[in-house]
Amino acid sequence: MTEAILLVGGKGTRLRPLTVHTPKPMVPAAGVPFLTHQLARAKAAGVEHIVLATSYLAEVFEPYFGDGSALGLHLEYVTEEEPLGTGGAIRNVASRLHSGPQDPVLVFNGDILTGLDIRKLVHTHETAGADVSLHLTRVTDPRAYGLVPTDATGRVQAFLEKPQTPEEIVTDQINAGAYVFRRSVIDTIPAGRPVSVERETFPDLLAAGAHLQGMVDSTYWLDLGTPRAFVRGSADLVLGRAPSPAVPGRCGDRLVLPSASVADDAKLTGGTVIGEHAVIGAGARISGSAVLAGAVVEPGAVVTDSLVGAGAQVGARAVLDGVVVGDRAAVGPDNELREGVRVWCEARIPAGAVRFSSDQ
Ligand code: GTP
């Protein structure tokens, strides 16, 4: 049986200012809580048992996913009293694992959307006889990431902090947030205190002579760390660029959940998703955006690359581009909001209050 640990706690768990009571993994992406895509992809790769390691708003996961049987999985939940970091969270769930000491245990960061071939990562791990194997991805600008150089056989040589100078960019390979641990290695992580896998566990293992194997896989990969990335990920799921068996419908230019109401002449493109009971008015144009459950986009509004929170309202003729509208917030008619604007949950912007266009 293949088992996995899914890390869904820690500091970056909120998608501020979109939600107050919903942790990021539960925010819908392509119509279902983001976590559903990860669970369904793991299941499709043969994983049967998954332990969810969390530290924040834990109470929302179990009522939704239950014992996992609806997804064909056996799910368990472990909540940390204080966030234990990535390594600490893995160590903290060790007692829930059923694998033998030599068996592979998968670990996934909960905020990554990827087309990783999970079976191939396990296969690579077993063929190499590694202690830990890591999915590595290549990025064009590695400055924001820790770097993971490997030798010609894929064996990891170092874990380097974010490069400060051009000379320090020795590779474009970064840790992509999916690992296979030999089960017995998990017990070597110190228990009961915060531990970072990247800053402590992996460097310590390397220093002790352990075999860490990297698998560079240039499939779809997106870190959903920012609301902007989250919108992109949702659209890519709808478009089919990011593969997931959990998208509730056919992949294409748009996904409209059955209970939503969309005016005949509204135009939905670029992987836009319209959530349950959302209402889209006449002549609205929505592209590359996620409109969550119960939101209303009034006639003539133009929404591009934006996230409209649950129960939020976008007024008539408003123009939104690269914007996050928090749950139940209201953007009045004729506003123009551009790149980076985040409207807090329940905030109200009066009609015609904000524009970016010039006086001409
Ligand atoms: P450390 O490696 O512990 O320093 O964490 P990090 O801040 O570098 O990790 P990052 O924020 O990239 O998070 C990676 C994944 O681990 C995300 O899915 C987080 O939700 C999850 N995560 C981070 N910290 C914790 C934690 O303290 N507990 C749990 N359960 N998950 C965490």
Side-chain angles (χ1 to χ4, degrees), residues 6 25-26 38 42 44 55 68 72 86 90 101 124 129 146 163 177 183 188 229 231 235 268 286 331 339 353:
L6 201 47
M26 295 303 284
Q38 288 194 312
S55 60
T86 43
I90 296 168
T124 301
R183 166 68 187 87
T188 68
V231 177
L268 310 176
I286 310 182
V331 176
E339 184 62 46

Side-chain angles (χ1 to χ4, degrees), residues 271-294:
T272 288
V273 55
I274 308 296
E276 286 160 21
H277 302 291
V279 178
I280 310 300
R285 282 182 285 144
I286 310 182
S287 169
S289 298
V291 177
L292 302 189

Side-chain angles (χ1 to χ4, degrees), residues 7-11 53-54 80 83-86 89 109-111 195-196 199:
L7 301 174
V8 291
K11 307 174 288 289
T54 186
E80 297 142 41
L84 289 171
T86 43
N109 281 0
D111 53 2
V195 178
S196 156
R199 286 187 296 280

Side-chain angles (χ1 to χ4, degrees), residues 14-24 26-28 57 230 290-296 307-314 323-331 342-349:
R14 285 177 66 181
L15 194 58
R16 300 173 78 217
L18 183 68
T19 71
V20 179
H21 304 295
T22 313
K24 186 163 59 178
M26 295 303 284
V27 175
L57 289 174
F230 199 90
V291 177
L292 302 189
V296 176
L307 194 47
V308 179
Q313 197 171 354
V314 176
V323 171
V324 178
V325 181
D327 290 349
R328 298 173 304 284
V331 176
R342 301 171 177 202
V343 182
W344 284 99
C345 290
E346 290 170 14
R348 301 207 123 42
I349 300 181

Side-chain angles (χ1 to χ4, degrees), residues 42-243:
K43 162 73 186 167
V47 176
E48 289 163 17
H49 177 216
I50 299 185
V51 186
L52 239 77
T54 186
S55 60
Y56 177 74
L57 289 174
E59 62 278 11
V60 301
F61 295 107
E62 196 162 357
Y64 188 89
F65 291 109
D67 64 1
S69 50
L71 289 164
L73 287 163
H74 171 210
L75 283 185
E76 285 187 69
Y77 306 83
V78 175
T79 306
E80 297 142 41
E81 277 170 25
E82 293 293 328
L84 289 171
T86 43
I90 296 168
R91 178 66 181 85
N92 191 47
V93 304
S95 63
R96 303 297 186 100
L97 301 171
H98 310 305
S99 303
Q102 300 304 316
D103 290 341
V105 175
L106 282 151
V107 177
F108 300 109
N109 281 0
D111 53 2
I112 300 290
L113 179 59
T114 174
L116 168 70
D117 184 339
I118 297 169
R119 286 184 200 270
K120 191 166 135 204
L121 183 64
V122 176
H123 181 73
T124 301
H125 175 79
E126 291 184 325
T127 314
D131 295 300
V132 178
S133 300
L134 299 89
H135 173 209
L136 305 178
T137 188
R138 292 202 165 96
V139 289
T140 39
D141 183 3
R143 280 176 302 180
Y145 302 93
L147 307 182
V148 188
T150 49
D151 71 12
T153 66
R155 193 164 173 156
V156 174
Q157 294 174 306
F159 286 87
L160 305 173
E161 296 280 335
K162 286 179 193 170
Q164 307 289 330
T165 62
E167 297 75 49
E168 285 175 7
I169 304 178
V170 295
T171 176
D172 57 359
Q173 297 173 181
I174 65 159
N175 173 1
Y179 319 111
V180 184
F181 277 72
R182 185 198 301 276
R183 166 68 187 87
S184 57
V185 172
I186 292 176
D187 293 329
T188 68
I189 300 172
R193 69 163 172 87
V195 178
S196 156
V197 282
E198 264 195 311
R199 286 187 296 280
E200 187 172 343
T201 309
F202 295 155
D204 285 0
L205 281 167
L206 270 189
H211 181 162
L212 277 74
Q213 186 72 15
M215 185 183 89
V216 181
D217 182 325
S218 304
T219 175
Y220 183 93
W221 184 85
L222 188 66
D223 178 347
L224 302 180
T226 63
R228 186 67 199 255
F230 199 90
V231 177
R232 184 70 259 150
S234 176
D236 286 341
L237 282 159
V238 172
L239 291 166
R241 288 183 189 151

